[in-house]
Amino acid sequence: KAGVTQTPRYLIKTRGQQVTLSCSPISGHRSVSWYQQTPGQGLQFLFEYFSETQRNKGNFPGRFSGRQFSNSRSEMNVSTLELGDSALYLCASSPRDRGYEQYFGPGTRLTVT
Amino acid sequence: GQQVMQIPQYQHVQEGEDFTTYCNSSTTLSNIQWYKQRPGGHPVFLIQLVKSGEVKKQKRLTFQFGEAKKNSSLHITATQTTDVGTYFCAGGTGNTGKLIFGQGTTLQVKP
């Protein structure tokens, strides 16, 4: 079974721009979560989607948003990029509807200049 | 807000020595999960503990969940160079997919 895939793998953007990241979960997984990983803050939860509904949201500003499609694929969007948004963005999918073990994708490395 | 603290932040051991990382939550958890991230890689699921006082083993790895479901530990016996990486605990609360990750313990193993 193919793993979680994320596109693009690397991205360089300028302050003020917006960015959209994509995640395809493992086939059959309906729950998709997004995390931000930085050296200083570690792994921080962004949001979780299940059946196209946002079920949980972390403590991030409204510039961070996401959505899930009927095929469970998910996208996250960051508007008005700031330098501090530079991070590894990880998507994880789960086979159960109540967030049991999560399978992470390789991540998208976003650099904001 | 809910926090999960993990110690130590770094651990350097000689190959063959044991290693332990500890995780403490500010609130009672419904489950705790452990992940390993190799340098340049992504977190890989190791195990989930759900029951109070639960102990699980995977070869040389032993995982424990505290009686109060607020703390956990991972112990590796006789470390090998393949154990190198960062080990994260992640706490779940209620019926939710939201995980609160500890800061991780980075393990270096000297051959």
Side-chain angles (χ1 to χ4, degrees):
Chain A
K1 205 179 247 190
V4 176
T5 58
Q6 292 186 244
T7 57
R9 293 292 311 278
Y10 302 92
L11 206 48
I12 299 175
K13 289 286 188 178
T14 304
R15 269 181 302 175
Q17 288 186 314
Q18 74 165 17
V19 66
T20 299
L21 311 181
S22 182
C23 170
S24 292
I26 292 172
S27 177
H29 288 195
R30 296 166 63 191
S31 169
V32 174
S33 298
W34 288 88
Y35 294 84
Q36 181 196 65
Q37 187 173 31
T38 59
Q41 298 298 318
L43 273 157
Q44 292 188 286
F45 174 80
L46 279 158
F47 24 66
E48 180 210 4
Y49 286 89
F50 179 76
S51 292
E52 302 178 65
T53 301
Q54 187 181 88
R55 199 156 63 169
N56 280 290
K57 192 177 191 307
N59 297 323
F60 279 82
R63 300 185 297 107
F64 291 80
S65 62
R67 59 178 175 168
Q68 187 181 32
F69 302 95
S70 58
N71 61 359
S72 293
R73 191 176 68 84
S74 179
E75 289 181 346
M76 68 162 282
N77 183 277
V78 188
S79 62
T80 320
L81 284 166
E82 300 177 0
L83 294 178
D85 297 333
S86 295
L88 180 66
Y89 290 88
L90 292 158
C91 167
S93 72
S94 176
R96 305 183 193 219
D97 68 351
R98 290 305 179 184
Y100 290 95
E101 65 266 26
Q102 300 198 14
Y103 295 86
F104 283 83
T108 294
R109 174 73 62 185
L110 172 65
T111 301
V112 182
T113 62
Chain B
Q2 182 188 8
Q3 288 187 317
V4 174
M5 306 300 293
Q6 193 173 349
I7 57 169
Q9 189 174 0
Y10 299 98
Q11 186 82 59
H12 296 253
V13 300
Q14 197 75 35
E15 189 173 21
E17 292 182 336
D18 291 355
F19 159 77
T20 305
T21 174
Y22 300 90
C23 190
N24 282 286
S25 169
S26 58
T27 59
T28 302
L29 301 170
S30 61
N31 71 86
I32 193 142
Q33 301 178 23
W34 285 91
Y35 293 81
K36 177 182 179 181
Q37 185 173 22
R38 294 181 184 273
H42 57 273
V44 174
F45 175 79
L46 293 176
I47 207 161
Q48 177 184 248
L49 305 171
V50 178
K51 298 176 184 176
S52 170
E54 189 169 14
V55 178
K56 286 189 176 180
K57 293 189 176 185
Q58 287 181 350
K59 298 183 181 178
R60 296 177 295 103
L61 278 61
T62 302
F63 304 84
Q64 292 188 319
F65 200 10
E67 294 290 339
K69 300 183 77 173
K70 295 179 72 172
N71 61 287
S72 182
S73 65
L74 157 60
H75 179 81
I76 301 179
T77 303
T79 54
Q80 300 175 358
T81 55
T82 53
D83 295 326
V84 164
T86 300
Y87 292 84
F88 292 96
C89 62
T93 58
N95 292 325
T96 173
K98 178 179 178 179
L99 291 178
I100 305 300
F101 277 80
Q103 287 293 93
T105 297
T106 298
L107 173 64
Q108 297 280 6
V109 180
K110 189 181 295 186

